[in-house]
Amino acid sequence: MLGLRSVMFAVDDVDDSVARLRDHGGEPVGEIAQYEDAYRLCYVRGPAGIIVALAEPLG
């Protein structure tokens, strides 16, 4: 298998990032989840079908 399998971006605000990506055709895959007290995480599928992960560090 060749190519990039997955990518995650650190963002300052997951909710704002998802809202801005929606303006460009992105759609969340599932819900925004919180991992302990460390991160808020979500996946977003872009108009080309590529899925990326977003992580908002907490604290």
Side-chain angles (χ1 to χ4, degrees):
M1 181 174 175
L2 299 175
L4 184 64
R5 182 175 164 188
S6 64
V7 63
M8 179 176 282
F9 294 99
V11 297
D12 293 329
D13 184 333
V14 155
D15 296 305
D16 179 61
S17 297
V18 169
R20 288 187 294 130
L21 289 168
R22 280 181 195 246
D23 292 342
H24 297 281
E27 285 299 322
V29 177
E31 301 290 325
I32 296 173
Q34 186 162 326
Y35 177 72
E36 298 181 354
D37 291 330
Y39 291 96
R40 292 184 70 226
L41 307 166
C42 75
Y43 293 94
V44 178
R45 182 187 320 271
I50 297 170
I51 297 174
V52 297
L54 303 176
E56 175 187 342
L58 300 174

